[in-house]
Amino acid sequence: MNKLFVFVTSLMIALPIGAGLICRQSFTDISQEDKPFDNFEIGLLSENTALNIKEYAENSLENGSSYILKVIPTDKVKFSFLCYTEPVEILEIYKGDDLQIGDEIEILRDSSHIFWDLNDTDCANMGFVNLMNESEEYLVFLDKKIEDKPVYKTVSCLMSAIFSYSNRDNAVLTDNKFRNTGNNEFFTSDENALEILESVKSVLIEKYS
């Protein structure tokens, strides 16, 4: 065999392996961090978008959901490539036939995308709703199961259709760093948007309580 051919072939194999080792050494597994979302910036909801969400919630949310459940988180967020899921246990079933109370599933937000180094910034699309707290119960509107895994996606909406049964002291946010969202349930950029989302939540929680 031609020695030059062997050399070139070996080089072509070695370069990707070397690059992979370098990337692996520089990669940070944020799932092992105590507060992994503190690495990200998030989007803030405006009044106009909140009005569209209100209209959708009033006219389409329930009919467009395959499952309406009360759940409680059971574990920390799980990361998988460019998205994440939230493990929960089912406490009540208001809509949906093939699940049972006590089942443990994972919720994938319809908008749960992570963008690394987007314009020099790491961003998480959370659907303008904070992560679920392990001590709180939630009302969730789900669309479909993801293949053969116990993972269910939230309905396609401008926000993540996840509502806490607890009352939060929400505040308008002045910057989009996740670490500064505090105890907020919703991420909004103005008072009107916040009031609209709190009103939507109030109606839904009252109906499913």
Side-chain angles (χ1 to χ4, degrees):
M1 184 179 290
N2 188 296
K3 291 184 178 180
L4 179 60
F5 175 79
V6 173
F7 173 76
V8 172
T9 303
S10 301
L11 185 62
M12 292 175 65
I13 295 172
L15 284 175
I17 292 175
L21 289 172
I22 292 171
C23 291
R24 185 177 182 85
Q25 290 170 353
S26 63
F27 177 76
T28 300
D29 183 3
I30 63 170
S31 65
Q32 301 303 314
E33 297 181 13
D34 184 45
K35 297 181 178 180
F37 276 80
D38 281 359
N39 295 282
F40 299 121
E41 293 188 2
I42 44 90
L44 304 180
L45 190 73
S46 66
E47 180 181 1
N48 287 338
T49 305
L51 288 170
N52 289 330
I53 290 171
K54 182 175 183 291
E55 181 179 359
Y56 177 81
E58 292 173 344
N59 300 306
S60 305
L61 177 60
E62 292 165 283
N63 289 336
S65 300
S66 300
Y67 306 90
I68 302 176
L69 312 172
K70 178 192 284 189
V71 302
I72 188 167
T74 58
D75 204 348
K76 295 180 179 179
V77 171
K78 295 183 178 181
F79 290 91
S80 178
F81 192 46
L82 296 180
C83 51
Y84 57 91
T85 59
E86 295 169 87
V88 299
E89 178 185 344
I90 298 173
L91 301 178
E92 298 286 347
I93 299 174
Y94 302 113
K95 183 179 180 181
D97 298 326
D98 57 342
L99 290 172
Q100 296 182 347
I101 292 174
D103 282 352
E104 294 190 0
I105 63 173
E106 294 179 26
I107 294 178
L108 173 68
R109 301 185 183 208
D110 181 60
S111 54
S112 70
H113 303 298
I114 293 172
F115 302 93
W116 297 107
D117 199 22
L118 181 66
N119 296 324
D120 297 323
T121 302
D122 295 334
C123 304
N125 187 346
M126 304 179 68
F128 310 108
V129 178
N130 211 334
L131 297 172
M132 289 187 273
N133 283 336
E134 292 185 37
S135 60
E136 296 181 15
E137 297 175 350
Y138 288 83
L139 176 66
V140 298
F141 296 81
L142 307 180
D143 181 11
K144 59 184 179 180
K145 184 178 180 181
I146 307 298
E147 298 179 350
D148 59 344
K149 300 178 180 180
V151 177
Y152 293 78
K153 203 171 186 181
T154 59
V155 294
S156 182
C157 180
L158 293 173
M159 69 173 287
S160 296
I162 299 173
F163 303 92
S164 174
Y165 277 91
S166 300
N167 292 319
R168 300 275 193 92
D169 293 326
N170 288 300
V172 173
L173 300 176
T174 57
D175 71 63
N176 59 351
K177 292 181 175 58
F178 179 84
R179 67 172 65 94
N180 296 329
T181 58
N183 193 44
N184 270 32
E185 180 175 1
F186 306 120
F187 303 152
T188 63
S189 60
D190 61 74
E191 193 66 39
N192 290 338
L194 181 55
E195 289 178 1
I196 291 168
L197 292 192
E198 289 182 331
S199 174
V200 168
K201 168 185 170 173
S202 178
V203 171
L204 293 172
I205 292 295
E206 183 177 358
K207 182 172 183 177
Y208 295 102
S209 293

